[in-house]
Amino acid sequence: MNSRCVSMNSRKLSGHRLPSSSEDDVPETTRDQHVGDCRPEADGGEMMVHFSHPEHRLARFDFPYLFMCMGCKEYGAGKRFMCQACGFQLHEFCALAQPALHDHPFHRKHPHLLFFVKPAPGGGGFLRRKCDLCGKSVRGFSFRCASCSFDMHPCCASMAQRIDLPAVHEHPLLLAQDDGGTEQETSFVCQVCRRTKRSGQHVYQCLPCGYYLHARCAKDMVNGLYVHGVVPPEKKNALATAARVTVNALFGVIGGLIEGIGEGIGEAFVESIGRSRGS
């Protein structure tokens, strides 16, 4: 099998390749559960050999279409590294993930978050490990605390103390300090989900404008879904599932009522026959 993606003809793909960056900008990634001995081989930022897909080189592209990242197993749109031979795709932040993060603003309790390829063992079904920022299941790449069970998707971990999201707000957003006060938790409304803050949630803010945004809501802007107007299938399925459950519950109630009415009529009929025979 050819070990390289030979074709780099962008005319075959309706998108554009991202501009080059120096090799020094490409950080190390890890290979097994947590190993720091594998560095992606980058060709001027345009192509790389990634440990998760060593058969072919991955090219750097930006498409407005939905895709499933084969690293973290989450959806995305926009920037990605993609194999043109077989369609293997990684989020840009998954492909360039650091082997470790230090003093992350979302987890100040302990200093080190390590990059892992697979979720922690022991979880499954409803017991699947959850991301401590967005609350979604961790199915693949993640950053895990070296001292506790804190776990975070690479997308969530890519958000810093200050973020720029021009698609939703013209000013930089700063991570608000959580002082644990109950009054502050209900004093604002997130401009995306229109909900207030709940205990433990991280929030970005623009104080001059009074603009607030949950960090978990900012995730869909970092992974490109919001910017490109893409709704992932899991959200559509969640709505459909909720509708099916509601309808099934409704029919269950109606069926129970009909059954109860039928039983009542039957019992009354039997009692009537019994009385008529007794007379």
Side-chain angles (χ1 to χ4, degrees), residues 96-97 158 161 175 223 235 246 262 275 277-278:
L96 303 178
S158 68
Q161 185 79 27
L175 188 63
N223 62 23
K235 292 187 177 180
T246 303
R275 285 196 299 271
R277 288 183 176 178

Side-chain angles (χ1 to χ4, degrees), residues 1 5 11 16 21 27 30 36 59 102 111 119 121 131 137 166 188 192 194 205 223 228 238 242 254-255 258 268 275:
M1 179 182 293
C5 289
R11 289 178 296 178
H16 65 275
S21 60
T30 55
H102 307 290
C131 172
S137 297
F188 74 91
V192 171
R194 310 304 299 177
Q205 62 182 359
N223 62 23
H228 295 290
I254 295 175
I258 293 175
R275 285 196 299 271

Side-chain angles (χ1 to χ4, degrees), residues 8 14 23 33 44-45 56 61 64 92 97 100 118 136 150-151 161 169 177 181 195 216 226 256 259 264 277-278:
M8 283 297 296
S14 55
E23 185 173 352
Q33 280 293 307
H56 308 111
F61 285 96
E92 185 180 54
K118 297 180 181 179
K136 295 182 179 180
F150 183 89
D151 214 342
Q161 185 79 27
H169 194 66
Q177 297 296 324
R195 296 177 182 175
R216 63 182 299 170
Y226 183 91
E259 183 178 358
R277 288 183 176 178

Side-chain angles (χ1 to χ4, degrees), residues 121-134:
F126 290 107
L127 300 178
R128 190 189 299 266
R129 183 179 285 270
K130 303 286 186 180
C131 172
D132 284 278
L133 185 77
C134 69

Side-chain angles (χ1 to χ4, degrees), residues 6 25 42 60 110 159 185 203 226 241 266 268:
V6 178
D25 294 334
R60 199 175 191 178
H110 301 117
M159 292 187 282
E185 290 183 1
V203 176
Y226 183 91
T241 300

Side-chain angles (χ1 to χ4, degrees), residues 47-171:
M47 301 187 72
M48 68 154 51
V49 175
H50 197 270
F51 68 87
S52 63
H53 190 66
E55 305 95 303
H56 308 111
R57 288 181 178 268
L58 305 180
R60 199 175 191 178
F61 285 96
D62 189 351
F63 302 107
Y65 313 118
L66 179 73
F67 74 100
M68 169 66 76
C69 173
M70 300 307 294
C72 67
K73 307 297 191 298
E74 288 207 304
Y75 290 107
K79 298 177 182 178
R80 68 196 74 183
F81 277 89
M82 185 181 72
C83 174
Q84 292 183 265
C86 64
F88 181 93
Q89 299 182 80
L90 291 173
H91 289 124
E92 185 180 54
F93 43 76
C94 286
L96 303 178
Q98 300 272 2
L101 302 175
H102 307 290
D103 300 318
H104 198 283
F106 293 154
H107 189 61
R108 300 185 184 277
K109 184 184 295 186
H110 301 117
H112 307 299
L113 297 176
L114 304 180
F115 178 77
F116 286 83
V117 173
K118 297 180 181 179
F126 290 107
L127 300 178
R128 190 189 299 266
R129 183 179 285 270
K130 303 286 186 180
C131 172
D132 284 278
L133 185 77
C134 69
K136 295 182 179 180
S137 297
V138 174
R139 302 186 182 93
F141 292 179
S142 71
F143 284 95
R144 196 179 312 154
C145 180
S147 304
C148 68
S149 60
F150 183 89
D151 214 342
M152 191 162 47
H153 293 122
C155 178
C156 298
S158 68
M159 292 187 282
Q161 185 79 27
R162 167 181 165 147
I163 57 175
D164 292 294
L165 300 174
V168 296
H169 194 66
E170 63 271 23
H171 302 139

